[in-house]
Amino acid sequence: MARWQPGATQRLVVAAVDLFTEQGYDATTVAQIAERAGVTKSTFFRHFSDKRELLVAGQETLSRLLADGIAEAPADAGPLQAVAAGLERASSVMGPANRELGPRLKAAIAASTELQERDALKSVGLAAAMTSALVARGVPDPVAHLAGELGVLAFKRGYAQWSESDRDDTEEFAPYALAALEDLRRATAALG
């Protein structure tokens, strides 16, 4: 096995999601994931502490990009405008591989309670990153929390729509996330 080939993290994630979908999360072993990805088991453990952690690959990067986009939004931007800037910044790391993985990842998560729990923790982490960035901009805590949660919902809804859309459509992720955020903004206005 060529351990020096680039892209081991991405190959491990794709291999795991495929195996989780094919045979279930519980039936999939780290050894199987490593073999499918073309790496050794020790290489797997250099990238991830266990197979649950495959689901949150890139979470730190995504959280940082969301927070950076919010921090760099224009000073007069409202909370949701700042969240939109964060979503745009985060979209820079969402490429064709992320789009392809979406439907398979959704199926794997739906089939495993453990993966559903890990996905929920990922959402909490993303919301916390956005909330902290908004508070640092001077947004009051309750408003920052609500805007952060709406940002996560927009990210998830946008990602689902983007990953399930026509593959011939070359549109990037950002317009999907921003449209989802606008839909949520209108929905909150309807709450009265």
Side-chain angles (χ1 to χ4, degrees), residues 3 22 28 54 75 77 123-124 131 135 143 152 155 178:
R3 293 187 312 200
E22 291 167 15
T28 300
L54 288 154
S123 294
V124 168
T131 299
V135 168
V143 175
V152 170
F155 182 88
L178 296 176

Side-chain angles (χ1 to χ4, degrees), residues 59 76 79 104 107 150 178-179:
Q59 179 178 348
D76 63 344
R104 297 189 318 251
L150 287 173
L178 296 176

